[in-house]
Amino acid sequence: MNKVLPIMMAMALTAPLSLSAMQIASVNLTSANITSDAPKTNSDATVVVGSATKPEFTAHSAKDVSKAADAPDSANVLLKKRLHGLQQYQAAFNQTVTDAQGNIVHEAQGTLTMMRPNKLRWETTFPDETLLIADGEAVWNIDTFVEQVTIISQDQAIKDNPIVLLTANDDETWDSFVISKLDDAKASLTLEQYQIVPKSTDGQIKSLTLGFNSDGILSTLDMLDAQDQTSALVFSKQDLDFAIDTAKDNLFSVDVPQSYIIDDQR
């Protein structure tokens, strides 16, 4: 199972996706008015998610960055405006992971919840129940099947990962990436797409492509990793204004059962 996207997403918090390159290389929307039920939180990490229809998508690699599109500075400004509307974001997702030859190697369904700054919750309900939480300081990967929790530093987890832009506001982080707005020849006819490429070549992610629908809502996310695997997420039931009762909802905190094994790698 490719877990790279889910973990990197949660780690970057912003945003996955499928994280499996780091062996945590184990880690996404149609109208702002569409709402979804907030994930149910409990010790077993069970979540109820509405089904999502998986539309077609186009994955873009780093070499496909549009040279004819807006200048980098202009693309930066436009993408920042789009993401500024994602102060909080919740959506159901369908995830498809394909290898370099285009073969499907993994599929998943679940819910993604993000909140600025730097908080993310990634839950899958199919084919397995998994839970990953980035709380701003650490990333918690909860495996209910083996009753184990792996904890890593969030700063290290999102290093050079473009998913971090989903929840990061600071210029220093944004300056670590080259951002291009895909021109009409490369972008989907129905989406406004931006490709993000790390300036460093040491990371596990080569490129990230974000697609926004006609309402300016994040609808797709494609991530190309160092193994040339593409993790594509299609979002539905997006909610940008869901209510959170901090006294009752522990969306971005972890209550580890006493029976669980804790592997703290921070």
Side-chain angles (χ1 to χ4, degrees):
M1 167 181 176
N2 188 308
K3 299 178 180 180
V4 173
L5 182 59
I7 285 189
M8 293 189 125
M9 231 174 150
M11 297 178 174
L13 272 222
T14 101
L17 323 179
S18 142
L19 293 179
S20 179
M22 122 175 137
Q23 294 307 4
I24 234 176
S26 195
V27 142
N28 345 39
L29 304 146
T30 45
S31 167
N33 295 324
I34 298 178
T35 60
S36 62
D37 295 331
K40 293 182 174 61
T41 305
N42 55 41
S43 60
D44 294 325
T46 300
V47 61
V48 177
V49 182
S51 60
T53 301
K54 180 168 56 182
E56 294 183 359
F57 63 85
T58 302
H60 300 278
S61 64
K63 65 182 179 181
D64 291 326
V65 174
S66 172
K67 297 180 180 179
D70 297 337
D73 288 345
S74 178
N76 283 11
V77 171
L78 292 173
L79 182 57
K80 282 182 179 179
K81 288 181 179 179
R82 289 301 189 198
L83 294 178
H84 182 70
L86 300 183
Q87 293 301 312
Q88 60 184 57
Y89 177 91
Q90 186 175 79
F93 67 81
N94 275 12
Q95 178 187 25
T96 304
V97 180
T98 55
D99 61 20
Q101 289 71 45
N103 301 309
I104 296 176
V105 296
H106 180 65
E107 292 182 292
Q109 295 178 355
T111 298
L112 172 67
T113 305
M114 299 185 295
M115 182 173 290
R116 288 174 177 262
N118 306 325
K119 288 182 170 60
L120 178 148
R121 181 186 184 93
W122 167 280
E123 296 178 87
T124 63
T125 55
F126 173 83
D128 304 300
E129 291 186 359
T130 64
L131 174 62
L132 183 149
I133 292 177
D135 62 14
E137 299 292 335
V139 177
W140 304 68
N141 187 18
I142 298 93
D143 190 328
T144 58
F145 182 74
V146 298
E147 297 190 346
Q148 177 172 313
V149 178
T150 301
I151 311 170
I152 63 175
S153 165
Q154 190 164 319
D155 287 341
Q156 184 60 36
I158 62 176
K159 181 178 175 59
D160 299 322
N161 187 335
I163 200 73
V164 70
L165 298 189
L166 289 175
T167 54
N169 298 319
D170 61 289
D171 291 337
E172 182 179 357
T173 298
W174 278 73
D175 288 343
S176 299
F177 304 93
V178 175
I179 301 171
S180 300
K181 185 174 183 295
L182 298 182
D183 61 20
D184 293 339
K186 294 184 176 64
S188 165
L189 295 177
T190 61
L191 296 175
E192 178 182 299
Q193 292 182 300
Y194 296 86
Q195 190 165 67
I196 307 166
V197 178
K199 291 180 179 179
S200 171
T201 58
D202 297 332
Q204 289 295 330
I205 303 301
K206 289 184 177 181
S207 69
L208 174 69
T209 301
L210 302 177
F212 299 83
N213 65 17
S214 59
D215 294 320
I217 307 300
L218 180 62
S219 299
T220 63
L221 184 156
D222 294 352
M223 183 179 289
L224 178 69
D225 68 22
Q227 288 72 44
D228 289 330
Q229 287 192 133
T230 298
S231 180
L233 289 96
V234 177
F235 301 104
S236 64
K237 300 183 179 181
Q238 301 96 318
D239 186 357
L240 309 186
D241 193 30
F242 56 93
I244 294 181
D245 185 340
T246 55
K248 298 179 180 179
D249 299 328
N250 300 316
L251 291 178
F252 307 109
S253 62
V254 181
D255 183 13
V256 182
Q258 293 184 350
S259 60
Y260 277 39
I261 298 173
I262 298 178
D263 179 13
D264 194 337
Q265 301 180 13
R266 290 173 292 184

